[in-house]
Structure formats: structure tokens, C-alpha cells
Amino acid sequence: MTTSENARKRKWLWRWRNNPLRRRDDIVEAWIVLAVWAVVAVGGTVTGLLTTHAALDVFAHQRADRQTVRAVLLDDVRRATVARGGSTDGRMTSVSWMTPEGATRTGRTLVDTGLKAGAHVTVWQDGQGRLTAAPPTTEEATIESGSLGIAAAASFAGLAFGTGAVVRWRLERRRIDQWGLEWELVGPRWGHKTG
């Protein structure tokens, strides 16, 4: 090990070095920092992976549960005037469809504009025959699950760092209070001595 590597190692481990000025609080703070980093690394990874897998399971269940069904428009869907910067891809309107059990239901869903009443459209329904949104594709589910996993890991890391910062702040306040007490004991001994 070269001299510079040895110096860097000693500087990195300075809180654990044997030093007459090292206080018990310094060692406690060093262990807190190490524990926070370990919790962030392990806990953040586990939280992110669990969240990602849970989200993938939910999306897979949605894809298995939802199916398309033919519905009939009950009202005309007029074309809207396009506002500047806006879009008019679809409008909410009433439709009628058959459930898997053969019951007729009506509800409101988003359909393309410009269609007349009686036109057939494709809508999504869940296992209970209720209108629902289309499930995400495998690619969309993977991207969204990954995003949720990253957000969960970042939230966990923020919570761990915040907790560690509060504990370190409390230690720092305690050190400052101890220094104040020590100064009150030592300060009067110095007095005003002039040469």
C-alpha cells in the first residue's frame, strides 16, 4: 500500500482511529452514518424490487381480467372545435354493452369524436362487466413498474437519510451543550491576566 493510499484510508476511517480528542459521540455518529448508508443500500434495493414486482403483478392481473367488448353508442359524438394547443381525440358519451353473463348495461366512456348514435365501438370491461380503461401493455407495465420501484427506493432512501440527519443533529446539539458546560467550568480559571 502506497503512502497516499494509506493516508486516504486513515482519513476515511478517522472517526474510528485512536485519538485523545475523539469523543464517544464521534464514534456513535460514525456508526450512525455507516448504518444509514447500509440501510439505504440494502433497504432501498429491497423496497424498489418489491414495489416493482408488486406493480408487475397488478398490471398482469389487469391484463388477464380485462377484455374488449363491442358497445353501441347511445348518443351522437359531435366533433369539437379544436382549441389552440388542445386536442379533441375523444369525448365522454353513453354506450350500451353486454356483460359476460349476457346482461345489458349502459355507462359512459371515452370514444372518438364524429360518430353517430348506433355506431359500434370497442370498449374495455373488467371481470364484473364494468367499463374500465385499457390495461397497460407489457412494455408500458414494465416502464411504469420500474418508475414506481425507483420512486419507492428513493422515498425509502430519503426517509433513511432524514432519520439519520435528525439523529446526527441531536448529537451535534448535545455536543454543543457539553462544550458550553465545559466552557463554564474552564473559562473562569483563565481570568484576565495581563503581562
Side-chain angles (χ1 to χ4, degrees):
M1 187 179 298
T2 65
T3 306
S4 64
E5 288 173 350
N6 196 14
R8 273 187 280 165
K9 183 179 175 185
R10 273 186 279 155
K11 184 177 180 182
W12 188 70
L13 297 172
W14 74 271
R15 290 192 190 265
W16 282 283
R17 277 194 328 217
N18 197 7
N19 182 334
L21 298 177
R22 180 187 69 192
R23 297 164 303 226
R24 186 177 152 285
D25 286 352
D26 294 331
I27 295 171
V28 170
E29 184 178 15
W31 281 108
I32 288 170
V33 170
L34 184 64
V36 165
W37 279 105
V39 166
V40 166
V42 174
T45 301
V46 170
T47 301
L49 289 174
L50 288 176
T51 303
T52 300
H53 288 296
L56 284 172
D57 289 345
V58 167
F59 294 138
H61 181 266
Q62 286 177 355
R63 282 193 302 278
D65 184 52
R66 296 177 183 180
Q67 64 269 353
T68 58
V69 65
R70 300 273 299 170
V72 178
L73 286 176
L74 299 177
D75 301 317
D76 290 342
V77 185
R78 290 181 288 139
R79 290 197 188 275
T81 56
V82 178
R84 188 174 291 188
S87 73
T88 58
D89 294 342
R91 280 199 150 172
M92 292 295 287
T93 191
S94 297
V95 294
S96 175
W97 74 98
M98 297 285 282
T99 66
E101 296 81 32
T104 302
R105 291 208 178 153
T106 59
R108 293 183 61 79
T109 190
L110 189 68
V111 297
D112 292 335
T113 59
L115 300 174
K116 299 281 185 198
H120 290 276
V121 293
T122 302
V123 295
W124 285 89
Q125 69 177 354
D126 61 15
Q128 287 77 37
R130 296 177 301 221
L131 286 179
T132 187
T137 64
T138 305
E139 294 79 22
E140 291 169 341
T142 302
I143 292 168
E144 191 167 345
S145 297
S147 299
L148 291 171
I150 290 169
S155 298
F156 184 87
L159 181 65
F161 276 126
T163 302
V166 167
V167 172
R168 290 180 66 204
W169 176 78
R170 296 285 305 240
L171 277 173
E172 186 66 26
R173 294 301 313 156
R174 191 168 113 184
R175 274 193 290 247
I176 290 171
D177 292 343
Q178 287 174 347
W179 287 337
L181 291 174
E182 290 171 8
W183 183 253
E184 286 177 11
L185 293 173
V186 174
R189 291 187 200 163
W190 288 5
H192 293 290
K193 297 180 181 177
T194 57

